Amino acid sequence: MRLLVKAPAKINLSLDVLHKRPDGYHEVKMVMTTIDLADRIELIPLSSDTIKIISHNRFVPDDHRNLAYQAAKLLKETFGIREGVAISITKTIPVAAGLAGGSSDAAATLRGLNKLWKLGLTLDQLAELGAKIGSDVSFCVYGGTAIATGRGEKIEHIPAPPPCWVILAKPTIGVSTAEVYRNLNLNTITHPDVDGMVQAIKSQNYERICSLVGNVLEDVTLRKYPEVANIKEQMKRFGADAVLMSGSGPTVFGLVQYDSRLQRIYNGLRGFCDQVFTVRLLGERNSLD
């Protein structure tokens, strides 16, 4: 039995870094929400006791570096599974983009193999396992909208933001998350109002959400990659309601409430950026199937 699983991207409406932890990670506080831009994961049972990654994207590793591979390996080792699986990954989410594409692929693999191998695990149990693979995997197991704390693995669900369009633009560069964190000066950053963002979402106040978007990693990436700063400026100029870099970048997203403005922004960005997407917020939990 083959199984298809959807692996949607996420954006950070608010991303704060509080301090460096004794374990070397950074303590973060973020508001994340899923968007309707998704990879497709197909799980194909194999008779041999192996894990095989099938990808047609040359930037996606097909070995143990792949987070979907790590997800399958973790389940096999934890529960003594002797069955094999081929994991076919059809990418739509850009690679190394700050949109949690790899983490979402891993989360989709966990959810799918839970069904395929009849493990009977809850989402909470899968999210706990996911935290061993990467900081964003726990959130991606659930989807929806949440406050993420710790190193990103502690998840508190909140309501979805009000419906709107999300326009994304990714320049032709990749950004190393580790490098961005290494260059972050915790003494000089301006902390975004994460609690205010949560209240704005709970009260469904779209204008306030737009006024409170913030990401402390933005300054680091914008300094090093002027093309990201340029996309941000152009998106504002074309009329997006709010503009922010997602995660450690380099993808920039804009929130847009009205369809009439969307096409103008899309056309303007396509003039100098190859990867531009217009999608809706998913925002609700259980919107992954």
Side-chain angles (χ1 to χ4, degrees), residues 44-222:
I44 306 149
L46 296 177
S47 52
S48 57
D49 185 9
T50 55
I51 301 166
K52 183 181 179 185
I53 299 290
I54 304 165
S55 170
H56 308 293
N57 186 313
R58 65 191 176 93
F59 297 110
V60 175
D62 60 2
D63 56 19
H64 63 91
R65 294 168 297 163
N66 189 292
L67 297 187
Y69 180 102
Q70 292 176 30
K73 185 170 183 279
L74 181 62
L75 287 179
K76 280 173 70 64
E77 289 176 349
T78 305
F79 299 100
I81 304 296
R82 294 285 169 261
E83 298 171 48
V85 65
I87 305 168
S88 174
I89 303 173
T90 305
K91 291 296 291 181
T92 303
I93 304 168
V95 177
L99 299 170
S103 296
S104 194
D105 294 348
T109 301
L110 289 174
R111 290 196 312 272
L113 290 178
N114 185 42
K115 287 182 186 173
L116 197 65
W117 290 340
K118 299 181 172 58
L119 298 176
L121 301 169
T122 64
L123 284 182
D124 290 346
Q125 289 171 312
L126 291 173
E128 198 172 318
L129 285 164
K132 297 178 181 180
I133 302 165
S135 299
D136 286 338
V137 178
S138 298
F139 169 76
C140 293
V141 163
Y142 298 108
T145 307
I147 307 162
T149 53
R151 57 182 176 84
E153 85 286 5
K154 295 176 184 171
I155 305 299
E156 179 191 337
H157 300 284
I158 59 174
C164 69
W165 289 98
V166 182
I167 188 155
L168 305 122
K170 181 194 178 287
T172 53
I173 55 169
V175 170
S176 161
T177 301
E179 188 185 346
V180 171
Y181 273 99
R182 268 198 306 273
N183 288 295
L184 183 67
N185 186 340
L186 291 170
N187 297 316
T188 60
I189 58 177
T190 303
H191 297 279
D193 184 358
V194 181
D195 293 335
M197 174 61 76
V198 172
Q199 290 310 312
I201 291 170
K202 286 180 176 177
S203 62
Q204 297 291 283
N205 187 332
Y206 177 76
E207 287 76 17
R208 186 145 173 75
I209 289 168
C210 290
S211 72
L212 288 172
V213 296
N215 179 352
V216 295
L217 303 180
E218 217 181 36
D219 285 349
V220 178
T221 304
L222 265 55

Side-chain angles (χ1 to χ4, degrees), residues 18-59:
L18 306 179
H19 55 81
K20 188 97 177 271
R21 295 156 40 127
D23 62 7
Y25 288 99
H26 285 80
E27 187 76 17
V28 297
K29 187 173 184 180
M30 309 182 282
V31 176
M32 299 197 279
T33 190
T34 41
I35 58 174
D36 200 11
L37 177 73
D39 293 344
R40 195 181 75 160
I41 307 297
E42 187 174 11
L43 303 171
I44 306 149
L46 296 177
S47 52
S48 57
D49 185 9
T50 55
I51 301 166
K52 183 181 179 185
I53 299 290
I54 304 165
S55 170
H56 308 293
N57 186 313
R58 65 191 176 93
F59 297 110

